[in-house]
Amino acid sequence: AQTVTQSQPEMSVQEAETVTLSCTYDTSESDYYLFWYKQPPSRQMILVIRQEAYKQQNATENRFSVNFQKAAKSFSLKISDSQLGDAAMYFCAYMYLTGNQFYFGTGTSLTVIP
Amino acid sequence: DGGITQSPKYLFRKEGQNVTLSCEQNLNHDAMYWYRQDPGQGLRLIYYSQIVNDFQKGDIAEGYSVSREKKESFPLTVTSAQKNPTAFYLCASSTLPGRHSSYNEQFFGPGTRLTVL
């Protein structure tokens, strides 16, 4: 079974500081993709960053980076220099290449404190 | 502009009524998906379709029905058999999964908030 676990229902960070959101997943597949999506108060889902499992190098997108530990099945998101606009629900997601579904975690609600 | 549209944004249903949520995309994507979002439960898959006139049940298909008569459109009907339909519904689309697919990303619509009165 494919499962995605986000163990932190809520997190908070001071503006300009760094925060890390955790995600673990369970799979027997070897070829898959991992994603972090952001859902702000508007509820529009926005892709933040993706990681291909066959790539060892961690993905980065400006202030967002991931720590991908394939053996540990861990995929955490680091947000540097946090901004007020980063306040949102963040979802970790997984899909395997021969499948046809995305599997989402339950989300982490991030608050940014001015 | 390419994207996914969902309508209406807010929908109110009386007990015993069927309602249909619209989802249209002009991204030329083959795959389309319907999710239900409840507080604390993330996104749960209702139905998905990878080709016109074909669709598969997701994890929580009971009480819902879909059709895929056109590549661009994937409407969701919430039937009276759905016991607790009040939720936020998200439609998404993507290319078919594959090594060379467009990063295998799902694109989402703005959602429909359904409330049962």
Side-chain angles (χ1 to χ4, degrees):
Chain A
Q2 328 288 335
T3 58
V4 179
T5 302
Q6 293 179 249
S7 58
Q8 307 153 315
E10 297 178 351
M11 292 279 285
S12 62
V13 62
Q14 207 77 31
E15 194 175 4
E17 297 295 310
T18 296
V19 64
T20 298
L21 309 184
S22 301
C23 174
T24 58
Y25 57 95
D26 187 21
T27 184
S28 57
E29 301 289 332
S30 59
D31 207 356
Y32 53 87
Y33 287 71
L34 295 160
F35 306 83
W36 279 99
Y37 279 87
K38 168 184 177 181
Q39 188 180 42
S42 68
R43 305 200 78 169
Q44 175 70 55
M45 293 282 282
I46 303 163
L47 179 68
V48 175
I49 199 165
R50 71 171 66 81
Q51 174 81 42
E52 294 92 331
Y54 63 90
K55 290 187 177 179
Q56 294 186 348
Q57 186 173 6
N58 288 326
T60 62
E61 286 287 342
N62 300 314
R63 297 183 296 106
F64 298 88
S65 61
V66 299
N67 184 4
F68 174 47
Q69 302 288 328
K70 191 172 185 179
K73 296 179 183 175
S74 170
F75 182 60
S76 60
L77 174 69
K78 185 171 85 171
I79 306 174
S80 304
D81 185 26
S82 296
Q83 300 175 359
L84 295 178
D86 295 333
M89 184 72 80
Y90 286 83
F91 291 97
C92 178
Y94 154 94
M95 66 154 281
Y96 61 97
L97 219 50
T98 55
N100 42 28
Q101 294 187 35
F102 269 50
Y103 298 87
F104 287 86
T106 51
T108 296
S109 178
L110 179 66
T111 300
V112 180
I113 303 165
Chain B
D1 287 334
I4 302 177
T5 57
Q6 290 185 243
S7 62
K9 187 172 182 178
Y10 299 97
L11 186 58
F12 298 91
R13 190 194 93 171
K14 293 182 180 179
E15 295 272 358
Q17 277 185 339
N18 292 354
V19 291
T20 298
L21 283 59
S22 169
C23 178
E24 303 275 336
Q25 55 98 0
N26 61 4
L27 300 167
N28 199 33
H29 286 164
D30 289 296
M32 296 188 74
Y33 308 80
W34 273 106
Y35 294 94
R36 171 177 170 144
Q37 186 176 18
D38 296 282
Q41 297 198 46
L43 277 68
R44 293 183 292 168
L45 183 65
I46 305 172
Y47 269 98
Y48 65 96
S49 168
Q50 294 190 310
I51 193 170
V52 173
N53 292 323
D54 188 43
F55 45 83
Q56 284 77 42
K57 293 181 179 180
D59 301 321
I60 56 165
E62 185 176 351
Y64 300 96
S65 66
V66 294
S67 63
R68 186 88 186 274
E69 297 177 0
K70 299 186 301 181
K71 186 176 182 179
E72 302 80 16
S73 179
F74 192 41
L76 173 74
T77 297
V78 184
T79 74
S80 56
Q82 169 51 234
K83 297 286 189 287
N84 183 22
T86 294
F88 187 67
Y89 291 86
L90 281 163
C91 179
S93 72
S94 71
T95 56
L96 293 178
R99 173 77 68 205
H100 301 294
S101 292
S102 176
Y103 302 111
N104 292 300
E105 171 187 351
Q106 283 199 353
F107 295 79
F108 286 84
T112 293
R113 174 70 185 176
L114 173 63
T115 303
V116 173
L117 302 173

